[in-house]
Amino acid sequence: MMKTRCGFLLILLAALVAVSHADLALVERWPTGDGACADTPLRLTFDQPPVRGATGKIEICRAGDGQPVASVDVGDAQPAARFGASSEFLLRYEPARISGKTAQIRLPTGKLAYGESYEVRISPGAFKDAEGHDFAGVSEGWQFRIRPALPANPGRLIVAADGSGDFCTIQGAVDQIQPHRRKPAFIFIRKGRYEELVRVGHERTQIRLLGEEREGTVIAYTNNEKLNTGWIQRAVLGVEGDDFALENLTVQNTTPYKGSQAEAVFINAERCVLRDARFLSFQDTLNLSGRVYVADSVIEGDVDYVWGYGTACFERCELRSMHDGYCVQARNPAGKTGYVFLNCRLTAAPEVKKTWLARIETNRFPASHVAFIGCKMGAHILPAGWQVTGPASAALRFGEYLSADLAGGMLEVGQRDASGKQLTLTQAGNESNAAKVLAGNDGWDPRVISEAGIRLAIIGDSTVCEYPSQNAGRGWGHHIQDYFADDVQVMNLAASGRSTKTFIAEGRWQKTLALKPNFILIQFGHNDSHDPSHPEATDAGTTYKDFLRRYVDEARAIGATPILVTPMCRRTFEGGKLQDALLRYADAMKEIAVEKKAALIDLHAASRVYFEQLGEAGSLETANKAGDQTHFNEKGAKAMAGLVMKELPIAVPELKAQLR
């Protein structure tokens, strides 16, 4: 009787376990529908965290004939591929990167064609749940179509992880840049996390990477000596193209502490600029050869986290030591300037107690050159400062001038190692100018490359902003770049639901100013007009005007030209007559334009005429969905962009020469 009861209980328990188990299910897939980028990855979101299977493939097939064009072996532990058109190295990478419930799949480069439709097939077992049960796979029903053609302006590209830009990946945009350019090519990278390796080959010259937000635009990957051996191969971002610039973003090597040498950035090129950025890793964070200017940036690491064979000048940077170790290892030859730090701050994580300014082995690099001029240093910097091993070298050049503590008080430097010298005023003066340090044989001034090009920012609300490719909605700001030639970089920073008040309150305006735009298009009013009980609401006659004054004044304070754009008229018809709920806000903006002598584009009046000509039925063809009287589809957004651009050269004549 006892055996029978126990057997029954075991059967019941097994049944309960079987009932409680739920198969791994796919709840969201991306991309879908029309308008996908040609470099799109695949994103699969499950109902629970997935695990990569030991076997299983993902195939991309042409929808028309079912023929496979690309395949990813999810079970391959360390596949290798070339990143960048001219790369001579095969780099190991992860075929599927899993974060929480989402898996992102990198597709082979150059396999998807513009205007073509594709179907995704996933074999069973490609993914498993935590208990080892296979995902059933996908055999049909997942299709997407690549957008019809290449971007209209290949010298001005937008990267957006959500598919709203020209490309989804930074590498995809870099590969599209014409080789051996003589004029700058700008790549604007929208806020997001870009988990990829990026390579800028020697033929990709004059490339500029500009992030939307320094902390919010992140290029991150795990790469190191154990995965890809060699100081060229193991960086997240590798640059060998001359005249490269990077600004307002973060590059992070996610290799864990003590995970071996792992650069965030490797540069071996001439006349390169890194500005207003963050570089995060531990060992060997920045490897700089050639000539590189680094300004207003944060570099985190612990062991030789600034190193290389080139000439580099750091100005107003923060070197943050994350563990005990060494800041710099300069391997420059004799007669060549190494690494110079001007007005920088050397800080540390709380537990860090012992850090050397620099170290070198003189039997290998007897002419190493490192100088700290006017820098502030935390207590983690050891009193000896410098660590030199090997025979004495007359060619060694370790020096500092007016070193202070973080509060600005002069440091006691009497215990410095004899290999380091206290520079005289004359000696420090010869190294205290970035243009002199980096002049080389061509007289390069790093400020020239870092300021090249015209930047036009757009701020506003949902009628202006950009949307993911699978979304039917479009804002008119999405199409402004198409009107400009190569000398203008358009940065659309508009965000859905924002008003003059909330755009400032959320810090978006300060981030706009941080991008140092030359011109700023400003359209608000839709959300300002909401009921006063809403937090975004403003009064047309008072607070709305006050915020507009602030936008104008603060834009001018950084040297930018503000251009006010009245809010477009909504498509609200009653009895066949177009209504005008936003007229008070449009009139208020026009009054501020007169008061402040600011440029104005009256989109409200122009859009009213446009919708009245279309009529109630015709105007519905510009809506993103039935019943929406405010937002646009592609047709409506292009029409509004056309109205803006018709008036722009009249409002701001100096931009006329920059139009296509």
Side-chain angles (χ1 to χ4, degrees):
M1 181 69 177
M2 182 63 69
K3 287 184 178 181
T4 303
R5 182 175 297 174
C6 289
F8 173 75
L9 290 174
L10 288 172
I11 293 171
L12 179 60
L13 179 61
L16 289 172
V17 169
V19 169
S20 66
H21 168 70
D23 290 337
L24 184 66
L26 188 60
V27 297
E28 187 176 344
R29 57 193 77 183
W30 188 88
T32 58
D34 294 339
C37 300
D39 65 331
T40 183
L42 303 181
R43 293 196 192 102
L44 295 75
T45 301
F46 296 90
D47 62 342
Q48 54 190 291
V51 178
R52 280 173 49 191
T55 61
K57 289 188 176 182
I58 298 176
E59 282 190 330
I60 310 299
C61 307
R62 284 195 301 266
D65 57 14
Q67 290 299 308
V69 299
S71 177
V72 176
D73 186 349
V74 179
D76 190 342
Q78 288 188 331
R82 284 185 171 82
F83 292 77
S86 65
S87 176
E88 58 182 297
F89 299 107
L90 288 171
L91 300 180
R92 294 175 178 174
Y93 70 100
E94 292 182 72
R97 288 178 67 84
I98 296 173
S99 176
K101 297 180 181 180
T102 299
Q104 176 164 303
I105 314 299
R106 178 188 183 271
L107 300 181
T109 301
K111 298 296 184 180
L112 305 182
Y114 283 94
E116 186 67 77
S117 294
Y118 297 96
E119 184 173 51
V120 181
R121 300 172 185 168
I122 305 176
S123 63
F127 297 96
K128 299 177 180 292
D129 64 18
E131 298 175 4
H133 300 99
D134 285 347
F135 170 55
V138 175
S139 59
E140 60 183 4
W142 183 356
Q143 290 193 359
F144 62 90
R145 183 177 181 84
I146 303 300
R147 57 194 55 174
L150 287 165
N153 190 347
R156 292 291 185 276
L157 300 175
I158 297 173
V159 176
D162 64 4
S164 60
D166 301 307
F167 293 91
C168 292
T169 67
I170 298 159
Q171 190 67 61
V174 168
D175 290 345
Q176 184 57 40
I177 301 299
Q178 179 186 12
H180 308 294
R181 283 181 64 98
R182 295 186 178 181
K183 296 178 64 176
F186 285 83
I187 299 173
F188 182 54
I189 307 170
R190 293 203 169 282
K191 183 172 62 175
R193 188 173 179 88
Y194 298 84
E195 297 195 351
E196 56 175 311
L197 296 174
V198 181
R199 292 295 179 268
V200 180
H202 62 84
E203 81 289 355
R204 292 300 196 272
T205 56
Q206 297 282 357
I207 286 181
R208 315 282 196 266
L209 302 183
L210 174 62
E212 182 176 352
E213 288 184 10
R214 191 168 92 154
E215 286 75 23
T217 304
V218 181
I219 308 171
Y221 211 77
T222 302
N223 193 21
N224 51 63
E225 181 69 17
K226 295 178 181 178
L227 291 173
N228 290 298
T229 302
W231 53 280
I232 293 177
Q233 294 95 302
R234 64 191 180 220
V236 173
L237 169 64
V239 178
E240 295 181 278
D242 293 341
D243 300 296
F244 171 84
L246 174 152
E247 184 176 349
N248 206 48
L249 54 80
T250 295
V251 185
Q252 180 179 17
N253 194 320
T254 52
T255 297
Y257 176 49
K258 292 188 177 182
S260 78
Q261 295 161 288
E263 283 84 352
V265 176
F266 155 73
I267 293 180
N268 184 17
E270 290 293 304
R271 300 175 300 276
C272 297
V273 171
L274 309 176
R275 188 172 73 170
D276 291 315
R278 298 191 308 158
F279 306 102
L280 313 179
S281 186
F282 293 109
Q283 188 171 351
D284 296 357
T285 305
L286 281 186
N287 175 355
L288 306 180
S289 296
R291 279 181 292 164
V292 185
Y293 177 61
V294 188
D296 304 301
S297 296
V298 175
I299 305 105
E300 286 188 359
D302 50 33
V303 176
D304 302 334
Y305 60 95
V306 176
W307 79 284
Y309 295 82
T311 297
C313 183
F314 296 75
E315 196 160 18
R316 300 178 305 277
C317 291
E318 179 182 355
L319 277 66
R320 182 170 173 80
S321 297
M322 304 306 292
H323 303 91
D324 291 348
Y326 316 85
C327 294
V328 184
Q329 186 181 127
R331 297 182 172 185
N332 54 282
K336 183 176 181 180
T337 301
Y339 286 7
V340 177
F341 298 84
L342 306 176
N343 302 310
C344 293
R345 289 170 53 84
L346 280 64
T347 65
E351 66 276 10
V352 178
K353 305 300 181 185
K354 298 178 180 180
T355 300
W356 302 87
L357 292 174
R359 68 167 174 171
I360 204 67
E361 301 168 75
T362 52
N363 60 336
R364 298 178 63 201
F365 308 104
S368 179
H369 173 224
V370 179
F372 289 91
I373 299 174
C375 295
K376 296 179 179 180
M377 306 176 182
H380 65 295
I381 298 298
L382 289 164
W386 315 94
Q387 186 187 85
V388 178
T389 57
S393 171
L396 183 66
R397 294 164 290 164
F398 281 176
E400 59 186 312
Y401 179 73
L402 294 182
S403 295
D405 60 29
L406 293 178
M410 288 297 100
L411 279 179
E412 171 55 56
V413 294
Q415 298 183 58
R416 287 290 195 250
D417 187 273
S419 59
K421 308 299 182 185
Q422 294 302 307
L423 303 176
T424 66
L425 175 61
T426 300
Q427 290 170 329
N430 291 332
E431 295 185 311
S432 61
N433 184 296
K436 290 182 179 180
V437 172
L438 296 165
N441 296 324
D442 53 14
W444 178 54
D445 185 337
R447 291 165 296 187
V448 175
I449 186 171
S450 61
E451 298 292 352
I454 296 172
R455 299 180 181 180
L456 187 149
I458 306 174
I459 64 173
D461 49 41
S462 57
T463 65
V464 187
C465 71
E466 299 185 11
Y467 294 84
S469 58
Q470 66 268 32
N471 192 310
R474 290 289 180 271
W476 58 258
H478 185 93
H479 300 286
I480 297 299
Q481 182 72 77
D482 298 343
Y483 286 86
F484 285 103
D486 277 0
D487 289 335
V488 178
Q489 171 66 58
V490 174
M491 306 175 295
N492 187 358
L493 309 174
S496 179
R498 273 62 186 186
S499 68
T500 54
K501 180 167 64 174
T502 56
F503 198 86
I504 289 174
E506 295 172 1
R508 296 175 183 271
W509 175 233
Q510 283 305 118
K511 290 174 181 177
T512 301
L513 297 176
L515 287 166
K516 302 177 179 66
N518 306 101
F519 301 88
I520 309 176
L521 288 169
I522 303 166
Q523 183 210 271
F524 290 104
H526 291 274
N527 300 301
D528 291 82
S529 69
H530 288 172
D531 186 273
S533 62
H534 292 200
E536 70 275 11
T538 64
D539 176 70
T542 57
T543 49
Y544 179 67
K545 285 185 174 182
D546 290 339
F547 283 117
L548 290 178
R549 290 186 183 99
R550 179 173 172 180
Y551 284 111
V552 171
D553 291 343
E554 293 183 3
R556 286 172 171 166
I558 67 162
T561 299
I563 307 163
L564 300 175
V565 183
T566 58
M568 40 68 61
C569 188
R570 292 182 182 142
R571 302 177 301 271
T572 306
F573 285 82
E574 291 183 10
K577 184 177 180 180
L578 186 64
Q579 303 301 297
D580 207 341
L582 292 174
L583 181 59
R584 292 183 303 122
Y585 288 86
D587 286 345
M589 182 177 282
K590 287 190 281 187
E591 290 171 14
I592 294 299
V594 172
E595 174 190 320
K596 290 290 186 179
K597 296 181 174 58
L600 177 83
I601 294 173
D602 195 354
L603 180 59
H604 185 83
S607 61
R608 181 181 180 88
V609 171
Y610 175 75
F611 292 130
E612 285 178 336
Q613 290 174 342
L614 287 179
E616 184 172 6
S619 69
L620 295 177
E621 297 178 5
T622 68
N624 69 324
K625 61 182 179 181
D628 191 322
Q629 299 169 330
T630 302
H631 303 97
F632 303 111
N633 57 19
E634 187 87 358
K635 178 181 177 179
K638 284 184 174 180
M640 293 302 105
L643 295 177
V644 170
M645 293 307 299
K646 183 179 180 180
E647 292 193 23
L648 183 62
I650 301 171
V652 189
E654 55 264 47
L655 280 174
K656 187 174 183 179
Q658 309 301 329
L659 298 176
R660 284 180 172 273

